Amino acid sequence: EVQLVESGGGLVQTGGSLRLSCAASGFSFDGYAIGWFRQAPGKERERVSCISSTSGKAYHVDSVKGRFTISSDNAKNTAYLQMNSLQPEDTAIYYCAAEPATWRLCPREDTRTTYWGQGTQVTVSS
């Protein structure tokens, strides 16, 4: 069974750090575009960070550049999102996604070939 399981979310104060993990089972991250997305209450889902497991190239939305770092460990079939200097506006449910696409940096959101995790809550208190 194909599965993505996120972990590492929680409650943190402004300026704190969290490290999210996304563990894949039932498939290998090799050749996948992996991404972290987030959705805050009342807002649309937002693409936060992506990484190509093939090239290692990464993308971060402007609002998290310099604070968040995405990485992947293909041997462990796990992707990570290191989040530093967290702000209240980072509060959201964070989702991991993966699409088989060696040429893509980010997984597409609206396609049947993209796998999604169940999400992990990140809450930043002011």
Side-chain angles (χ1 to χ4, degrees):
E1 179 186 5
V2 170
Q3 208 171 11
L4 289 174
V5 179
E6 302 98 333
S7 61
L11 174 64
V12 65
Q13 290 185 334
T14 297
S17 298
L18 285 173
R19 187 196 195 201
L20 305 184
S21 297
C22 172
S25 59
F27 71 102
S28 169
F29 267 155
D30 286 342
Y32 274 70
I34 304 161
W36 286 95
F37 297 76
R38 66 186 179 186
Q39 188 165 21
K43 295 187 177 181
E44 292 189 355
R45 187 168 58 196
E46 175 187 32
R47 184 175 61 190
V48 178
S49 301
C50 307
I51 188 168
S52 165
S53 65
T54 302
S55 67
K57 291 183 179 179
Y59 158 87
H60 297 283
V61 69
D62 285 347
S63 60
V64 307
K65 281 182 180 177
R67 301 189 298 122
F68 290 11
T69 303
I70 188 172
S71 62
S72 69
D73 185 334
N74 290 354
K76 294 183 178 180
N77 236 17
T78 302
Y80 305 94
L81 185 66
Q82 178 66 45
M83 305 187 296
N84 300 326
S85 301
L86 283 162
Q87 303 298 314
E89 53 266 33
D90 295 317
T91 295
I93 298 175
Y94 283 71
Y95 299 91
C96 174
E99 180 185 7
T102 57
W103 63 94
R104 290 190 189 279
L105 184 56
C106 293
R108 292 173 296 175
E109 295 183 62
D110 300 322
T111 175
R112 293 181 180 178
T113 56
T114 296
Y115 303 132
W116 290 89
Q118 83 290 348
T120 186
Q121 177 71 47
V122 171
T123 303
V124 185
S125 63
S126 57

